[in-house]
Amino acid sequence: MEAEEGIAVVETASPEPSPLGAILSTEERAQVRDAIARLPENYRVPLVLRYYGELSYDEIAQQMGLKKNYVAALIFRAKQDLRRKLSHRSQ
Amino acid sequence: MECYSEQKVSMFVDGELEVEESQHLRDHLAACSHCRRLLDALRAENRVLSESLQELPEHEFSLVGPFRSPWSIGWADVAVMALVLTIGSIVAPWIDHLSIPEALQWLNPMSLSGRTNLFFNLSYYFAHGGAAMLSDYAAFVGGLLLFLLLGGGVLLLGRRWRLQQPGLRMLTVLLVFSLPGFALERRHSEIVTVAARETIDDTLLATGNIVRVEGVVNGDLLAFGGTVEVRGTVKGDLVSFAKRTVVSGTVEGNIYDFSNSLDLDGQLGHSLYGLMQSLDVNDRGRVGEGVVVAAGDISLEGEVVRSATFYAGNTDVSGTVGRELTMAGDNLILTNTARVGGNLSARVRQLKNVHIADGATITGSRDIQLRVKENHFTRPKFYFYQAVWLAAAMLVGWLGLILFPGFFQASAHAVGSGWRSFGFGLGVLAGVPVAAFLIAITLVGFPVSLMLFAFYLTAIYLAKIWVGAFLGQKLLKPTEANKSDWLLGLLVGLLILTVIGFIPYLGGLVGFVVVCVGLGAFSWQLYRVSRRVITT
C-alpha cells in the first residue's frame, strides 16, 4: 500500500531528477522505499533517521535511548537486511 | 595489513569514526584496493538510500515509526487509564450479574461485592480512610519523590542515568496501587492482641504467632499467624492464613480462610470461602449466607442459612443448610439431625460411602451420582469455554500490540532464544512468589507484594500469548510485518498450543514449558528495557 502511494507521489513530485536520480529509476526508488518500509522497526527507525533525517549516530542514539555503538550495528544490519530484501525482489 | 570490517568502513562513509581511526583507515585505503572498492560500493549505497528517501512525502514520515522522545508526557497513557476506569465502572455492575461462581468473585477485579480487590476500592478507602490516610500517603510519596529527585538529579547531571517511560510508568502504577495500603493498620509481634475494650477503625494487618481479637476491628482483618482467634468483632472481612483459625466471636463480612483448620463457633454475617485441611462449624456456629469450601474433612453441626458447596474427602452434616447442599468427594454422612432446605446433590466415588440417616430432612430432591471420569470433549460447553478463552487471549494480544507495540513484539521475539528464556522463566516462576512473600512479611511492602503477585499472574497469562505469537510467526513467516499478520500468527499459534494442551500428560508438560519460556522472554525483555533505561 505504501509502495503504491509512494510511486504515485514520486511521479508527480520530482520535476527535476538529480544526475544520480536519473540513474536510479522512479520505480527502483519506490522499490527501495518499499523495502525500507518492510524492515523491522528497530532497523527501520535508525536507517530513516540517518538517511532521511540526516541525524548523526549520536543524535539517533539519544533519540532512541540507545548507545552509539548499538546504533551503528543496527544501521549496518539494516543495510544488510535491505540488500537481501532487494536482491530477492530482483530475482 | 589486515582489512577493516565492513561495518567500520560503513561508519567511515557515514563520517562516524573517531579522528584517529579515520586516519588509520585512510592510510589503509591508499594501499588496499579491496577496501577501496568496498568504500565505493558503500558510498553508492548511501546515495541510493538518501536518494530514495529524499522523495519521502511528509505524511510518510510514519516510516520512522512510533518512537517518541523519552520525556514526552504520556497523555495517551492517561487517556487509556481513564478509559479503562470508565469502562470498568460501567461494566462492573453488569459483570456482577453474571453468574461467576461466588468462590471466584473476590478475585474479580471489577466485582462490586468483592472487598479485597484493589482497583475499584480506592474510592472506598478514600471515603473511609479520610484525610488522615491521604496525608500519610502524601508524606510517603513526597518523601519518595524528594529522594528520587535528589538521587536522580545528581545522576542526571552526570547524564549517566536516564529514567525513561517504562520506569516512570512502573513507578506510577506501583504508587497508585500502594495507595489502599495506607488504610491499613499494621501490627507485628509474637502475640498480637486487640484488647476487649479496644476498637480499630482501619483494616488491620496482623502477623504474629498468635493473633487474637477480643475487641472490635471496624475494617477487615488480614491475619497471618500460627493461631488466629476472633473472640470479639470484625466488621469487615476476615482473611486468614494460619495454622489454626478460631472464630468464636462475630465476623460481619466474609471469611476467606487458608488455614490448616478453621473452627467456627460464632456468627458470620456473609459467606465463608476457604481452602483448608479441616472445617468445623460447631453447633453455635452460624453462617449468614453461603459456604464454598475445599477441605479434607468438613463437619457441619451449626447452621448455614443459604447454600453450601463442599469439595471434601469427608463431609459430616448434622446441622442445617438452608438451601442446596452440593458436595463432591469421598464420604458423605447426614445424621438424624441434619436438615437441608433445598436439593441435595452429591458426587462420590462409591455409593456405599453415602450415609443418609432416616431422620435427616431433605426438602428438595436427592441427586447422588457416581463420579466417573467424563470425557469433556463431548460437552459443547467445553468448546464454548475454549473459544471464549481464545477470543479473550486475542483481545489481550491486540490491546498489547496497540498499547506497547515494540515491547509486545520484542517479547514474542525473545521466545526464540529457547533455553535462555526457559531457564530465566523457571527462575522467575519459582522466585517471584518467594519474593512476594518476603516483601509481604516486611509489612511495609504488603501492597507492593500484592501488586507484584498480580503482575506475576498477569505475566503467566501473557506467557502463552507471547509463545503463541512466536509460534505463529515462525510458521507463517509473514513477509509484511504488520499488525494483522501478527494477530493472524497469534491466532494460529494459540490454536496449536490449545490443541497440544489436550494431549494427556504431554499437554501439561508443554503447558509448563510454554509458561516458563514465555515468562522468561518477558522478563528478559523487561530486563533489556530497564537496561536501556539505565544507560551508562
Side-chain angles (χ1 to χ4, degrees):
Chain A
M1 195 182 79
E2 281 176 359
E4 282 168 14
E5 224 171 86
I7 290 169
V9 173
V10 167
E11 277 167 357
T12 54
S14 55
E16 271 188 311
S18 68
L20 278 159
I23 299 166
L24 211 58
S25 76
T26 310
E27 199 185 333
E28 278 164 343
R29 285 196 295 266
Q31 273 183 14
V32 174
R33 267 199 307 281
D34 184 34
I36 291 175
R38 285 187 291 118
L39 284 175
E41 186 183 296
N42 57 340
Y43 287 176
R44 190 178 69 233
V45 175
L47 194 79
V48 174
L49 288 177
R50 176 69 189 85
Y51 297 105
Y52 175 76
E54 294 182 347
L55 302 186
S56 71
Y57 285 16
D58 272 325
E59 286 165 326
I60 297 170
Q62 204 170 11
Q63 185 150 356
M64 293 179 71
L66 303 173
K67 289 182 194 177
K68 183 184 168 181
N69 283 347
Y70 192 45
V71 169
L74 283 180
I75 290 181
F76 180 64
R77 278 184 232 147
K79 285 182 182 175
Q80 285 181 321
D81 202 359
L82 203 58
R83 278 178 223 154
R84 216 174 42 242
K85 281 199 162 65
L86 287 168
S87 68
H88 275 306
R89 176 157 287 208
S90 59
Q91 273 164 12
Chain B
M1 196 173 170
E2 212 167 281
C3 283
Y4 281 78
S5 73
E6 193 184 324
Q7 187 176 342
K8 277 277 181 272
V9 181
S10 178
M11 284 176 79
F12 174 75
V13 174
D14 282 344
E16 297 285 351
L17 280 189
E18 303 295 323
V19 182
E20 200 180 339
E21 208 171 0
S22 295
Q23 194 50 53
H24 283 304
L25 201 139
R26 257 186 224 108
D27 295 344
H28 173 78
L29 282 173
C32 176
S33 63
H34 172 256
C35 283
R36 271 202 305 277
R37 275 200 301 279
L38 180 62
L39 181 79
D40 289 340
L42 287 172
R43 276 190 177 142
E45 189 177 68
N46 276 9
R47 273 196 296 275
V48 169
L49 279 173
S50 309
E51 188 100 9
S52 305
L53 286 169
Q54 220 68 73
E55 291 151 1
L56 201 66
E58 276 298 313
H59 67 268
E60 290 236 343
F61 201 71
S62 60
L63 277 178
V64 173
F67 264 91
R68 285 170 285 182
S69 90
W71 282 102
S72 70
I73 304 169
W75 287 114
D77 298 333
V78 177
V80 166
M81 255 188 210
L83 190 73
V84 168
L85 271 174
T86 315
I87 293 178
S89 42
I90 293 169
V91 172
W94 178 72
I95 286 189
D96 242 27
H97 282 119
L98 288 178
S99 53
I100 295 171
E102 275 199 54
L104 298 178
Q105 194 62 264
W106 68 286
L107 288 171
N108 171 9
M110 297 197 177
S111 154
L112 296 180
S113 57
R115 298 185 66 184
T116 47
N117 74 66
L118 293 173
F119 210 55
F120 290 93
N121 278 5
L122 284 181
S123 51
Y124 172 87
Y125 282 112
F126 269 125
H128 289 75
M133 185 196 105
L134 267 183
S135 64
D136 269 3
Y137 184 69
F140 174 77
V141 172
L144 193 69
L145 282 181
L146 196 67
F147 171 77
L148 277 176
L149 276 178
L150 285 176
V154 173
L155 290 164
L156 271 175
L157 278 179
R159 292 185 69 80
R160 291 180 64 78
W161 280 32
R162 264 177 266 161
L163 184 63
Q164 292 178 346
Q165 265 185 339
L168 214 57
R169 272 185 206 164
M170 192 79 88
L171 193 69
T172 314
V173 169
L174 276 178
L175 287 181
V176 166
F177 274 87
S178 67
L179 185 58
F182 284 82
L184 291 176
E185 169 151 348
R186 304 178 182 83
R187 291 190 182 186
H188 171 63
S189 64
E190 179 63 20
I191 301 175
V192 178
T193 313
V194 177
R197 293 186 174 181
E198 197 179 350
T199 301
I200 291 179
D201 282 325
D202 286 326
T203 287
L204 172 65
L205 170 65
T207 55
N209 196 18
I210 297 175
V211 176
R212 187 177 292 145
V213 176
E214 291 174 344
V216 178
V217 177
N218 276 331
D220 301 337
L221 170 62
L222 309 174
F224 298 80
T227 306
V228 175
E229 292 179 22
V230 179
R231 298 181 186 173
T233 303
V234 175
K235 299 217 168 176
D237 297 341
L238 165 64
V239 180
S240 170
F241 296 82
K243 197 160 177 221
R244 181 157 182 259
T245 305
V246 181
V247 178
S248 49
T250 306
V251 175
E252 295 185 2
N254 299 306
I255 294 182
Y256 305 99
D257 192 281
F258 307 89
S259 303
N260 200 4
S261 72
L262 168 66
D263 293 343
L264 182 65
D265 293 344
Q267 306 286 311
L268 172 61
H270 291 277
S271 298
L272 163 64
Y273 307 108
L275 187 66
M276 59 203 86
Q277 178 55 37
S278 73
L279 166 68
D280 275 314
V281 180
N282 296 343
D283 49 5
R284 291 185 305 277
R286 182 175 182 274
V287 178
E289 290 180 4
V291 176
V292 180
V293 164
D297 302 293
I298 293 176
S299 155
L300 174 65
E301 294 167 31
E303 185 186 2
V304 175
V305 173
R306 295 192 190 168
S307 59
T309 305
F310 298 137
Y311 303 93
N314 304 303
T315 306
D316 291 351
V317 179
S318 51
T320 306
V321 176
R323 298 182 192 170
E324 279 76 34
L325 170 61
T326 310
M327 179 270 177
D330 283 337
N331 297 300
L332 173 66
I333 298 173
L334 267 70
T335 65
N336 278 325
T337 52
R339 294 172 60 87
V340 177
N343 302 329
L344 164 71
S345 42
R347 289 178 64 197
V348 290
R349 289 217 178 85
Q350 290 177 304
L351 280 181
K352 64 176 181 159
N353 291 345
V354 180
H355 299 279
I356 301 177
D358 295 337
T361 317
I362 298 168
T363 312
S365 63
R366 297 180 190 200
D367 174 24
I368 315 280
Q369 285 183 357
L370 279 184
R371 209 157 31 142
V372 277
K373 275 218 160 173
E374 203 183 339
N375 189 348
H376 51 238
F377 292 110
T378 55
R379 289 189 308 184
K381 237 184 181 177
F382 169 77
Y383 294 98
F384 173 71
Y385 283 131
Q386 292 300 327
V388 168
W389 186 88
L390 208 61
M394 288 300 294
L395 188 69
V396 171
W398 176 71
L399 274 176
L401 198 62
I402 285 184
L403 295 178
F404 314 99
F407 189 85
F408 238 64
Q409 283 172 321
S411 290
H413 188 72
V415 169
S417 67
W419 285 112
R420 184 190 69 197
S421 294
F422 181 76
F424 216 51
L426 199 64
V428 172
L429 194 68
V432 169
V434 177
F437 180 73
L438 287 179
I439 295 173
I441 58 174
T442 60
L443 295 190
V444 186
F446 189 72
V448 176
S449 160
L450 276 183
M451 179 62 203
L452 180 68
F453 205 70
F455 193 61
Y456 173 71
L457 293 180
T458 314
I460 288 180
Y461 178 77
L462 290 174
K464 211 168 173 181
I465 293 180
W466 284 315
V467 177
F470 172 76
L471 211 61
Q473 295 270 309
K474 277 278 155 213
L475 286 173
L476 297 182
K477 289 198 173 59
T479 45
E480 305 265 341
N482 62 29
K483 284 182 181 161
S484 57
D485 280 342
W486 198 86
L487 282 176
L488 184 68
L490 177 63
L491 181 65
V492 172
L494 284 177
L495 273 174
I496 293 171
L497 287 181
T498 309
V499 171
I500 292 178
F502 297 148
I503 304 171
Y505 305 112
L506 181 72
L509 196 68
V510 170
F512 176 72
V513 172
V514 163
V515 166
C516 282
V517 171
L519 206 58
F522 170 64
S523 319
W524 179 254
Q525 194 52 31
L526 213 58
Y527 167 72
R528 276 186 48 189
V529 171
S530 63
R531 252 189 29 168
R532 203 180 295 164
V533 170
I534 306 163
T535 38
T536 46

